[in-house]
Amino acid sequence: MSAITALPTPIVRTRIHTSRVTQVRVALSEWTKLRTLRSTRYALLTGVAMTIGFAIIPAFVNASRWNNMSASDKAGFHPLDTSLIGVTVAQLAIGVLGVMVISGEYSTGMIRSTFAAVPKRLPVLWGKAGVFGLVTFVLALPSTLIAFFAAQAFLKGHSLNGHDIALSFSDPGVSRAVIGGALYLTLVGLFGLGLGAILRNTAGGISALAGILFVLPTVMSVLPSSWNNAISPYLPSDAGQAIMRIGHPAHTLAPWTGLGVLAAYSAVAIAIAAIQLRRRDV
Amino acid sequence: MIEAQHLTKRYGETNAVRDLTFTVKPGIVTGFLGPNGSGKSTTMRLILGLDAPSEGEVKVNGKRYAEFAAPLHEVGALLEARSVHPGRSAYNHLLAQAQTHGIPRSRVDELIELVGLESVAKKRAGQFSLGMGQRLGIASALLGDPEVVMLDEPVNGLDPDGIRWIRDLMKTLAAEGRTVFLSSHLMSEMALTADHLIVIGRGRLIDDVSVDEFIGRHSKHVVRVRSPQATELTELIASPDVTTEAVEPGLLEIEGLTAEQIGATAAAKNIVLYELAPRQASLEEAFMDLTRDEVEYQAVTPAHAKDHEGALAA
């Protein structure tokens, strides 16, 4: 550290030619921020591992026990749900990461550096949402595909009523459900990012996210069933998960309608964050 | 150039900054002096647009900060509280900042070298000492080669070498024609670094003055004289321009005459002197006098202090 006293004076004035702040540059900066934190890498890895792991384990267990299972268990077994159950576990990791992508900047004071560099502020929110959404989808899509094909590989050769229980990717609705699982994870992540930006606090953001995704559906179940049936399909988790269902059970939304409802929740959360971001002190 | 016009910031009931009007000129080092809690950091946040003023406005180089297409090229700031994610390395922190403006990686390397952080650039910033953190903040401030350099308490946590380095750096930057604005709660530090002073207390402007004038105005030249004939001497030198204070029997503090004048007068009248010592009241004392009424948090008794901490924790 003693080298610091020998100040090479002229180096300060280098007249580097800075050009202006652009949305693309802000997005590149956000990509650097995302990839250079250990916690980000762990959360994304956890999301991938859960998506794949929670598909393979139940598929393996059911496949190996298939011949000993009761007829009603066999009838109740759903090969697609088994492949995508990991998505509903992974959503916690991805959603929490979404919250922390922005709340972490507030808790550490990094946000002051960020907004000193980009005082118009909104490009930061768009940059974060764009980069995080893209990174999540790029990791989630191979994860759901691997989860699906791995699970079906275990199930192949086991039959019910003379039909192989394994699904093919070209079966009706299957490709939509598998790709939709990745879209669902991405939208949950963006919903978390919106909540994190509104609440600007990690604990608050995670609580809100977990409350809305996991607690609210349970609370709804104590309401009179007519209320529950009317409200529940429109909750973010229930609506979004419609994309991963085959068929159209009662009191659920159609796949793309449901995913659209979740997308609307995420968009509204980010829009509220954007309005606040312009006005509030840092 | 920084121009504040009737700048006011209220947080709820608290007036953090009240009706501040001042100009910070390029080419010199301007010190922003005030006790802790006097509104220096708030003013700097207002300059950067991190907080919005309740009234008034502040412009940098003629524009509001948020209007600039390349803000890091206009103002480089080191804020008092840490503004770095502790999980990210110094290099990656600077890189992410640089990328927002398309500043090349070579400039990041250059600044890491300038502030002497080469050996720890890949370490996570959370492991940095206060001094290393300050250096990283200064590197970040200089990244865009800014016209205005604004540093909040830059010498905090630095060792004597580091402090001298900062002083030289500030002077170099000012000599290059930049506007250099740095805050401190230490008058002695300002006397060594700054050319001009903006003094605030409880968010209000107290003084806007050159350092030379401030020193001239506030430093009293007092001569301390010990003599068994103190009363005789007092009568002898009495004049409208001279104030004499008897600190204790046989000990005088005389203002308005030099030690030479007093010694010569005493010798001429055969007055015995045991002690004749010129003494300059410190600038720190002058500054304390100036801001005594304006200190936000007067010292409290331990019992109160404990209550206060409890309230903060809750």
Side-chain angles (χ1 to χ4, degrees):
Chain A
M1 284 303 137
S2 57
I4 200 167
T5 50
L7 174 65
T9 306
I11 201 171
V12 178
R13 193 83 167 174
T14 47
R15 265 294 147 223
I16 53 153
H17 294 280
T18 46
S19 28
R20 54 191 16 249
V21 175
T22 64
Q23 181 64 67
V24 173
R25 286 180 171 151
V26 173
L28 181 64
S29 166
E30 289 302 330
W31 161 240
T32 299
K33 286 192 207 168
L34 191 71
R35 72 179 171 78
T36 55
L37 283 182
R38 208 186 282 173
S39 55
T40 312
R41 298 196 292 269
Y42 287 155
L44 289 170
L45 197 67
T46 306
V48 169
M50 285 178 170
T51 303
I52 298 171
F54 279 89
I56 289 177
I57 295 164
F60 173 76
V61 169
N62 279 287
S64 59
R65 291 188 47 78
W66 188 255
N67 294 330
N68 303 323
M69 276 165 63
S70 69
S72 66
D73 274 359
K74 284 181 180 176
F77 180 75
H78 202 297
L80 183 69
D81 286 356
T82 304
S83 316
L84 295 177
I85 192 76
V87 170
T88 59
V89 184
Q91 65 175 336
L92 186 61
I94 299 300
V96 164
L97 180 59
V99 170
M100 289 180 66
V101 160
I102 193 144
S103 70
E105 292 216 9
Y106 282 98
S107 65
T108 58
M110 177 65 203
I111 199 75
R112 287 187 287 267
S113 294
T114 299
F115 287 157
V118 188
K120 289 187 171 68
R121 298 187 188 179
L122 286 184
V124 173
L125 184 64
W126 309 146
K128 279 187 188 300
V131 167
F132 176 63
L134 197 64
V135 167
T136 305
F137 185 71
V138 163
L139 289 171
L141 185 59
S143 302
T144 55
L145 287 169
I146 292 168
F148 173 78
F149 286 110
Q152 301 313 317
F154 282 112
L155 298 174
K156 202 168 172 56
H158 301 86
S159 57
L160 179 64
N161 305 328
H163 297 286
D164 198 311
I165 56 168
L167 292 168
S168 159
F169 195 63
S170 56
D171 286 343
V174 169
S175 58
R176 179 256 298 156
V178 173
I179 296 167
L183 288 171
Y184 174 79
L185 277 181
T186 306
L187 289 171
V188 166
L190 291 174
F191 186 51
L193 188 141
L195 291 176
I198 293 168
L199 296 167
R200 316 205 300 181
N201 174 293
T202 304
I206 293 173
S207 304
L209 181 79
I212 292 168
L213 289 184
F214 302 112
V215 181
L216 215 50
T218 315
V219 173
M220 285 299 152
S221 66
V222 303
L223 292 176
S225 65
S226 62
W227 290 29
N228 185 15
N229 292 340
I231 297 169
S232 287
Y234 295 95
L235 295 178
S237 48
D238 215 57
Q241 286 168 22
I243 196 75
M244 293 182 279
R245 286 185 203 115
I246 292 181
H248 189 176
H251 314 301
T252 62
L253 298 177
W256 290 105
T257 311
L259 196 73
V261 168
L262 175 60
Y265 277 107
S266 305
V268 167
I270 290 174
I272 292 171
I275 292 165
Q276 285 192 347
L277 205 59
R278 288 180 65 89
R279 294 185 184 158
R280 283 167 75 172
D281 290 345
V282 178
Chain B
M1 179 95 92
I2 303 171
E3 295 156 290
Q5 290 284 331
H6 305 291
L7 198 58
T8 299
K9 181 63 182 178
R10 283 182 290 271
Y11 296 106
E13 304 256 300
T14 320
N15 262 306
V17 169
R18 312 184 209 193
D19 199 26
L20 276 186
T21 298
F22 62 81
T23 302
V24 184
K25 295 187 193 73
I28 57 171
V29 177
T30 301
F32 194 26
L33 186 64
N36 284 330
S38 56
K40 301 188 297 293
S41 300
T42 302
T43 305
M44 289 188 160
R45 280 204 304 274
L46 293 169
I47 292 170
L48 283 183
L50 293 175
D51 288 10
S54 309
E55 281 163 46
E57 62 169 10
V58 57
K59 289 188 170 177
V60 182
N61 301 334
K63 284 189 189 177
R64 284 196 308 113
Y65 184 68
E67 290 169 11
F68 286 108
L72 290 185
H73 187 53
E74 303 295 331
V75 182
L78 165 75
L79 295 171
E80 184 177 15
R82 278 211 181 165
S83 308
V84 175
H85 197 298
R88 197 172 282 124
S89 74
Y91 179 83
N92 285 327
H93 172 76
L94 292 174
L95 178 64
Q97 289 290 98
Q99 283 172 329
T100 59
H101 283 60
I103 297 171
R105 281 169 188 258
S106 58
R107 176 68 176 168
V108 172
D109 294 331
E110 195 175 280
L111 279 159
I112 284 173
E113 195 187 327
L114 174 74
V115 301
L117 287 178
E118 299 100 318
S119 59
V120 291
K122 304 282 177 190
K123 260 197 187 173
R124 288 187 291 148
Q127 298 169 346
F128 279 18
S129 68
L130 191 54
M132 285 152 79
Q134 291 289 78
R135 283 174 203 173
L136 174 57
I138 287 161
S140 177
L142 297 178
L143 205 52
D145 192 16
E147 286 302 316
V148 175
V149 178
M150 186 167 78
L151 309 178
D152 200 357
E153 303 273 0
V155 303
N156 261 5
L158 291 183
D159 52 25
D161 274 356
I163 292 173
R164 187 146 32 88
W165 178 76
I166 292 267
R167 268 183 217 146
D168 292 347
L169 181 66
M170 294 303 103
K171 287 176 178 168
T172 306
L173 292 168
E176 288 171 341
R178 296 177 215 248
T179 303
V180 180
F181 190 41
L182 72 158
S183 79
S184 179
H185 61 282
L186 299 173
M187 179 61 218
S188 51
E189 182 52 38
M190 287 295 173
L192 288 168
T193 317
D195 305 298
H196 193 88
L197 285 180
I198 291 168
V199 186
I200 66 168
R202 294 189 106 173
R204 261 195 289 253
L205 188 70
I206 296 178
D207 214 344
D208 185 344
V209 63
S210 78
V211 169
D212 290 344
E213 195 187 330
F214 185 88
I215 291 173
R217 200 197 295 160
H218 292 289
S219 51
K220 292 188 291 186
H221 293 274
V222 175
V223 181
R224 205 177 156 94
V225 181
R226 200 182 290 275
S227 166
Q229 293 152 277
T231 325
E232 209 177 316
L233 182 65
T234 307
E235 284 164 13
L236 200 61
I237 58 170
S239 113
D241 297 334
V242 177
T243 6
T244 307
E245 191 188 345
V247 182
E248 57 184 67
L251 181 63
L252 302 175
E253 280 194 354
I254 300 165
E255 201 185 336
L257 289 174
T258 64
E260 290 85 347
Q261 288 168 325
I262 297 166
T265 310
K269 296 288 175 185
N270 285 324
I271 292 173
V272 176
L273 298 185
Y274 295 159
E275 183 185 344
L276 178 65
R279 169 177 170 272
Q280 191 169 0
S282 80
L283 285 170
E284 214 63 59
E285 285 173 45
F287 168 58
M288 300 271 265
D289 283 347
L290 192 61
T291 56
R292 179 156 296 139
D293 302 332
E294 306 287 355
V295 178
E296 184 88 28
Y297 306 106
Q298 298 284 1
V300 287
T301 64
H304 284 118
K306 213 171 176 188
D307 286 352
H308 191 57
E309 274 172 24
L312 282 178

